[in-house]
Amino acid sequence: MSDASDDSPEGDPTDSFAQGTGSDEPRITFYGGRGMSALPIAFFIVWAIAQTALWRISDTSGLVVGILIGLILGMFFVRGDWKTYANTIFEGMTQPVAVTAIVAWIWAGMFAEVLQDGGFVDGLVWLADVGGIGAALFPALTFVLAALFTTGIGTGYGAAIAFVTLFFPAGILLGANPILLFGAILSGAIFGDNLAPVSDTTIVSAVTQDSDIGGVVASRFKYVIIAAVVAFVGYLVAGQFMGGLEIAGDAQEIFVAESEPIGLVHLVSMGVVIGAAVAGRHIVEAISWGIVVAIAFSLALGLMNVGDIVSFNAPEDAPVAEPLEFLPVLTIVEDADAVGVGGSLIEGAAGFFELAILVLLIIAAAQIMIRGGAFQAILDWSIENLATNVRNAELTMVGSSALINAVITINTAAEVAIGPYISKIGERFNLNGYRRANILDAQTAALGYIFPWSGGVLAGYTAMQDLPGEYDWFEPGMLVTPIDVVPFVFQGWLLVAVFVVAAITGFGREYLIDRESEEVARL
Amino acid sequence: MSLLTKYLKGWRFRSTTPSLETGDEINVFVAETNGTDEGLAYIGDTELRIEGAGPDTVEKRVRVRVTAFDETDATARGEFLEVVGESSYTG
């Protein structure tokens, strides 16, 4: 903060910063000060690191217990009535951004599962084999395809799920390194999440910085493509040095030899989703069309039957099971354990039910942090001490949006929370809306797919956990532990680095006097 | 602006202290005021003092006519013309 601002309180942007979080004063007060409101999140992060990194236990329900205990512990430090704390948990859980992410996960999960069961992985392996794409090239190729796919559909979470379900097993069979593969998938998701006009984070970045979406996308292309070119080279080089896994027996050779091109018909299913999204259809509508087309192709070409899509396994003593046994979706089972509903759609969706609960609870804990003032305290400090000139202001914008996205699981939620601060700091130095939106969204997209508790990583990792049940050759030991992938999300780290360099050197910086962003308008 | 022009815009290194042209009319956000009749806007690290921009213009986008610019210490003076817009967050 400059000297000039110190003697002019009205000009101090921190005065009005609280507007962005919807409250001027912390609504919950804690013994130990504002910082204690970060206890639930902090406890959860420690728990998540211990469980997933130190003890290598990949269990989403364990993480759910971690955040639940964190939320209970935090309550004991609340001054006064605990009811406000409890209500804030509900307030956080009912935020639209959390529900939006969950909907995207479930729809993408169903879509990816139908494609997988419809032989798409088979087709990919065939194509890679025929095309001579070896293990070393596969991660780089996966990065490019995931980037294109995400740019089309706009949801990086959905892309992470689809590519982990489909490309990950294909790559492992071809001998690619699994950690590098997962990193390449997450990198592609970051690329598209950052650049796609239909991406929720792109839209939030434009809207919160009062800029048109088309202009935002065009102006951020330069940063994204620089990071992507370096990331692509990174995956090419790393692919040469990082070896794949040994698949037991001759499963690898058999799978490759038996792979057939017919599953590639689902490229059309993917194209339908991308086309519908680019045409401006809602993501639920776009993926639903993809599911319909994928099911139609699979049934018509004999890749699946109706029972593979939805199946009811009824017990023998069910009252009207036997008369209706002719239905292709109904099977009478003798084993009581086999009773249930199965098929691609339920398996694709059900994989994300636990994760949905986890995310709702994390968003609740983040809301406690916002209402309790820890979030404000961190930002106040950074603005007072760091944003003293335009270069430092931009570095502060990069740092603060990176920090909040590193802490809050759902990056859109983090972006909504930090948006007003980025706006205030940027406007103070007359940075135009495009520059502000680009700084904001790059960190949002990047940090949402790097850490073990990031939504994108959790989504991909959850999808990965179904693979051992899907393929005989896929052993649980082949799963990538989220902490291991952190250094290999090249696009994420490079995007942050590009913006640090851009802030220091002035690359791409635009002031209001250079160009004013156009009116906000969704595509 | 054509689509291609939009994609090619901004591929350059921009100064922390941009120059202003005397006589130009520009839009800027006012950062502070002296409490009476002069506002201060930062365009990067260039300081623009705006005559006539009182407290009610703080954090608003205003139209200013530049009346003087000193490149050596990156300071400028200008006349307040009108308020043309609000902050992205007006509360």
Side-chain angles (χ1 to χ4, degrees):
Chain A
M1 193 104 342
S2 69
D3 291 338
S5 69
D6 292 336
D7 57 21
S8 178
E10 282 189 83
D12 186 342
T14 56
D15 289 348
S16 48
F17 275 0
Q19 293 162 357
T21 53
S23 67
D24 293 331
E25 293 294 329
R27 279 188 4 198
I28 315 169
T29 51
F30 285 81
Y31 293 108
R34 294 194 290 182
M36 285 306 290
S37 63
L39 179 67
I41 285 271
F43 180 85
F44 170 72
I45 290 173
V46 171
W47 178 294
I49 291 172
Q51 182 195 308
T52 64
L54 303 183
W55 301 326
R56 303 278 164 127
I57 304 169
S58 49
D59 183 357
T60 310
S61 56
L63 296 177
V64 171
V65 175
I67 189 69
L68 280 171
I69 295 175
L71 284 166
I72 292 168
L73 284 178
M75 192 162 61
F76 289 105
F77 291 88
V78 174
R79 286 177 188 270
D81 194 353
W82 289 1
K83 189 179 166 187
T84 314
Y85 182 93
N87 283 336
T88 306
I89 292 175
F90 285 88
E91 184 187 53
M93 291 177 85
T94 51
Q95 283 189 75
V97 280
V99 185
T100 304
I102 291 166
V103 165
W105 285 340
I106 291 175
W107 253 256
M110 288 193 293
F111 177 61
E113 190 73 28
V114 172
L115 260 60
Q116 185 185 50
D117 295 347
F120 188 52
V121 177
D122 226 16
L124 286 176
V125 172
W126 178 87
L127 187 64
D129 190 42
V130 169
I133 297 163
L137 284 181
F138 202 85
L141 181 73
T142 301
F143 167 56
V144 172
L145 293 176
L148 290 175
F149 183 73
T150 315
T151 306
I153 70 169
T155 160
Y157 293 162
I161 292 161
F163 272 68
V164 164
T165 309
L166 306 169
F167 279 69
F168 188 75
I172 287 184
L173 269 181
L174 290 167
N177 181 280
I179 298 172
L180 205 55
L181 260 181
F182 192 28
I185 291 168
L186 295 171
S187 283
I190 290 169
F191 180 100
D193 207 13
N194 189 205
L195 194 62
V198 291
S199 155
D200 52 354
T201 66
T202 302
I203 293 166
V204 169
S205 73
V207 171
T208 59
Q209 305 310 313
D210 223 4
S211 303
D212 59 299
I213 292 168
V216 159
V217 168
S219 65
R220 79 179 39 158
F221 181 74
K222 53 183 166 293
Y223 311 109
V224 181
I225 203 69
I226 289 171
V229 167
V230 181
F232 179 77
V233 173
Y235 286 117
L236 279 180
V237 173
Q240 311 291 327
F241 295 103
M242 295 173 68
L245 301 172
E246 285 294 320
I247 311 288
D250 51 3
Q252 184 170 350
E253 288 74 21
I254 292 171
F255 195 93
V256 173
E258 289 184 352
S259 61
E260 290 182 84
I262 186 75
L264 288 175
V265 70
H266 289 306
L267 285 172
V268 178
S269 313
M270 285 179 111
V272 166
V273 176
I274 294 173
V278 170
R281 301 290 183 176
H282 191 283
I283 195 65
V284 165
E285 188 184 347
I287 300 181
S288 295
W289 275 118
I291 293 170
V292 169
V293 170
I295 289 175
F297 274 135
S298 297
L299 294 178
L301 297 171
L303 294 165
M304 300 171 84
N305 57 49
V306 176
D308 293 331
I309 295 161
V310 182
S311 62
F312 296 87
N313 295 330
E316 289 173 302
D317 57 351
V320 282
E322 208 172 312
L324 296 175
E325 203 184 356
F326 64 91
L327 291 172
V329 295
L330 185 62
T331 308
I332 295 174
V333 293
E334 292 176 11
D335 182 4
D337 291 340
V339 172
V341 180
S344 300
L345 293 179
I346 186 76
E347 283 165 22
F352 296 93
F353 292 167
E354 273 186 352
L355 184 61
I357 298 295
L358 175 64
V359 162
L360 288 174
L361 290 167
I362 294 175
I363 294 285
Q367 192 72 4
I368 297 282
M369 190 175 162
I370 291 169
R371 291 285 179 237
F375 178 63
Q376 183 77 44
I378 294 167
L379 284 157
D380 284 351
W381 179 87
S382 65
I383 289 160
E384 286 292 332
N385 295 286
L386 303 176
T388 51
N389 57 41
V390 67
R391 191 174 282 146
N392 290 346
E394 288 198 334
L395 287 171
T396 304
M397 289 158 74
V398 171
S400 55
S401 46
L403 179 71
I404 190 171
N405 276 287
V407 174
I408 296 181
T409 291
I410 302 296
N411 59 356
T412 319
E415 190 173 37
V416 169
I418 195 79
Y421 298 82
I422 298 302
S423 166
K424 290 294 180 191
I425 299 172
E427 284 179 357
R428 180 174 176 81
F429 290 94
N430 276 295
L431 295 167
N432 77 359
Y434 297 141
R435 177 73 165 181
R436 302 194 315 257
N438 293 339
I439 290 175
L440 170 62
D441 198 41
Q443 322 319 312
T444 301
L447 276 299
Y449 295 85
I450 290 182
F451 298 110
W453 53 87
S454 305
V457 179
L458 286 172
Y461 184 60
T462 303
M464 202 184 291
Q465 284 171 306
D466 290 337
L467 294 176
E470 199 74 38
Y471 301 101
D472 294 337
W473 53 267
F474 201 110
E475 295 162 16
M478 294 177 183
L479 295 174
V480 178
T481 308
I483 195 79
D484 291 340
V485 81
V486 171
F488 297 97
V489 189
F490 295 158
Q491 178 72 7
W493 292 117
L494 285 164
L495 203 51
V496 175
V498 162
F499 272 91
V500 169
V501 172
I504 293 169
T505 62
F507 175 72
R509 183 183 293 141
E510 288 186 71
Y511 298 108
L512 206 62
I513 57 169
D514 297 326
R515 177 166 61 147
E516 289 190 39
S517 46
E518 294 169 23
E519 290 293 306
V520 178
R522 293 178 67 139
L523 282 180
Chain B
M1 190 179 283
S2 77
L3 193 64
L4 184 65
T5 320
K6 277 189 173 181
Y7 276 80
L8 295 178
K9 183 96 178 165
W11 283 83
R12 61 168 176 164
F13 296 90
R14 190 73 166 98
S15 167
T16 55
T17 51
S19 302
L20 302 177
E21 290 289 328
T22 304
D24 276 2
E25 288 186 11
I26 56 173
N27 292 343
V28 291
F29 280 104
V30 178
E32 302 159 8
T33 117
N34 64 1
T36 54
D37 62 349
E38 187 175 274
L40 175 62
Y42 299 97
I43 304 159
D45 295 336
T46 296
E47 293 186 10
L48 172 64
R49 297 196 176 272
I50 310 162
E51 287 169 41
D56 54 344
T57 63
V58 170
E59 295 188 5
K60 288 198 170 70
R61 195 153 45 97
V62 300
R63 190 140 190 88
V64 178
R65 182 182 296 117
V66 179
T67 54
F69 175 65
D70 182 348
E71 189 139 19
T72 52
D73 60 357
T75 55
R77 297 198 70 83
E79 294 170 3
F80 167 76
L81 299 176
E82 59 178 332
V83 173
V84 292
E86 300 282 338
S87 162
S88 302
Y89 289 88
T90 52

